Amino acid sequence: MTDLLTFGETMALFAARRTGPLRFARDFDLGLGGAESNVAIGVARLGHRATWVGRVGQDEFGELIASTLRAERVDARAITDPAAPTGLMIKGRRTADLIDVRYYRRESAGSRLSPEDLDPALIRSARVLHVSAITPALSASARAAVRHAIDEARAAGVPVSLDVNYRKALWTPGEAGAWLRDVISEVDVVFATEGEARLIADADDPVTLAKALGPRHVLLKFGARGAMELSDDEVRHAEPYQVTEVDPVGAGDAFAAGWLADWLAGAGPDERLRTACAAGAFAVTSQGDWESLPTRADLGLLSPAADGVSR
């Protein structure tokens, strides 16, 4: 049994160490990144059992992904695919404030995910299934895997969480919107920015937009303006935490992980929204997609009363 089950593509990540055009970079840090595995790590660090399923190549990058996730106490069901390589993500910093992320994932192992890779018994045993709209954009088989997982979860009474996570390099707004509108009625929790939410519905203000989406819990993220939760027709707003931003990539995954971890713990709406914002704030304070995700002990460090020096 697992608290959170998620699946998708995790890639090897090369991050340039110097600022400027990538063609001048000579040194890179090697790590990994993937929306769903980021959420799994975040939930695990906040005290819950998390399981990630995905395909990796029969290569050193695949070994890196599997071993790193397991070291983070994630139950990593890494399926080795000898016929395709692990996908790659290259991250550069064109200027101090502009991050350039390139993906090399066409026909990768992760894109070959299929319904057969997802054990129905594992889905039925989860307390929540978390999916991302990145996965259905990867391939027809990956899209079928998401539908299979949602159908199995709904049949077993397992709540479904969806992060819109729109990637324009993978599909058009029209394609994404059509898929999202098709599945949104099967979802219990949705995470989106305002722009992503408008792929599904349209409205003049965030509250009306959230209500138009339909799920019981709607989380809208406004970046530097904080976040909003609509749950059971009640609206709550949260101000962002003031931190020094180093790398914004992964903040949305951290936000989802914080909210889901508190939801699994039975926390009230105000507390889980604060935890989500805190997790998102931690995520942007260092390089990497997930390295700064907080533990429970870390969350208090963002309190206004916290000392700036830890001894």
Side-chain angles (χ1 to χ4, degrees):
M1 184 174 181
T2 188
D3 293 320
L4 177 131
L5 171 63
T6 190
F7 60 92
E9 180 172 34
T10 296
M11 295 166 284
L13 167 59
F14 285 89
R17 291 180 175 176
R18 63 176 292 171
T19 300
L22 269 173
R23 63 181 177 272
F24 297 121
R26 298 296 179 266
D27 297 314
F28 292 82
D29 289 318
L30 173 61
L32 59 92
E36 301 85 3
S37 56
N38 292 345
V39 173
I41 293 172
V43 167
R45 285 194 180 179
L46 290 170
H48 296 282
R49 295 164 297 181
T51 300
W52 171 86
V53 180
R55 283 181 175 254
V56 297
Q58 191 172 335
D59 48 40
E60 286 297 307
F61 299 141
E63 292 290 340
L64 169 69
I65 289 167
S67 62
T68 301
L69 291 178
R70 289 166 185 155
E72 288 292 329
R73 300 180 182 178
V74 172
D75 179 8
R77 310 287 180 95
I79 302 163
T80 301
D81 187 337
T86 302
L88 298 180
M89 177 171 22
I90 314 295
K91 184 188 293 186
R93 189 176 288 272
R94 183 62 182 84
T95 70
D97 301 314
L98 179 61
I99 292 178
D100 178 24
V101 183
R102 304 296 176 98
Y103 301 96
Y104 299 86
R105 65 200 318 176
R106 185 180 298 275
E107 298 183 0
S108 65
S111 72
R112 289 158 57 92
L113 189 77
S114 70
E116 291 72 27
D117 294 328
L118 302 173
D119 181 1
L122 180 61
I123 298 170
R124 292 193 294 265
S125 71
R127 293 179 60 198
V128 61
L129 170 71
H130 178 72
V131 300
S132 163
I134 294 173
T135 305
L138 296 177
S139 66
S141 66
R143 190 174 308 123
V146 177
R147 171 52 73 181
H148 163 72
I150 292 175
D151 289 347
E152 288 287 346
R154 299 305 298 178
V158 174
V160 178
S161 164
L162 166 69
D163 194 332
V164 173
N165 249 333
Y166 175 64
R167 296 290 186 269
K168 65 181 180 180
L170 294 176
W171 51 359
T172 67
E175 292 170 331
W179 184 87
L180 288 161
R181 286 189 293 273
D182 184 56
V183 303
I184 195 69
S185 63
E186 307 298 316
V187 168
D188 300 278
V189 183
V190 63
F191 299 92
T193 64
E194 274 190 270
E196 290 172 338
R198 294 185 193 281
L199 294 171
I200 307 168
D202 200 8
D204 292 333
D205 64 274
V207 173
T208 306
L209 178 61
K211 290 180 178 179
L213 296 182
R216 179 182 175 188
H217 304 285
V218 177
L219 285 300
L220 292 183
K221 300 167 290 184
F222 308 128
R225 295 184 289 116
M228 185 195 88
E229 176 177 345
L230 171 67
S231 288
D232 300 322
D233 293 324
E234 289 194 26
V235 177
R236 289 172 172 81
H237 295 270
E239 295 296 320
Y241 286 88
Q242 300 302 314
V243 295
T244 300
E245 181 181 295
V246 175
D247 183 351
V249 179
D253 304 329
F255 181 94
W259 193 92
L260 289 167
D262 267 22
W263 190 45
L264 287 164
D270 291 321
E271 183 178 354
R272 64 196 183 215
L273 190 54
R274 284 196 302 271
T275 298
C277 288
F282 269 104
V284 306
T285 58
S286 75
Q287 298 281 358
D289 283 24
W290 55 268
E291 284 82 349
S292 285
L293 290 168
T295 64
R296 287 286 174 191
D298 291 330
L299 293 175
L301 297 176
L302 294 182
S303 166
D307 192 339
V309 178
S310 178
R311 293 186 174 93

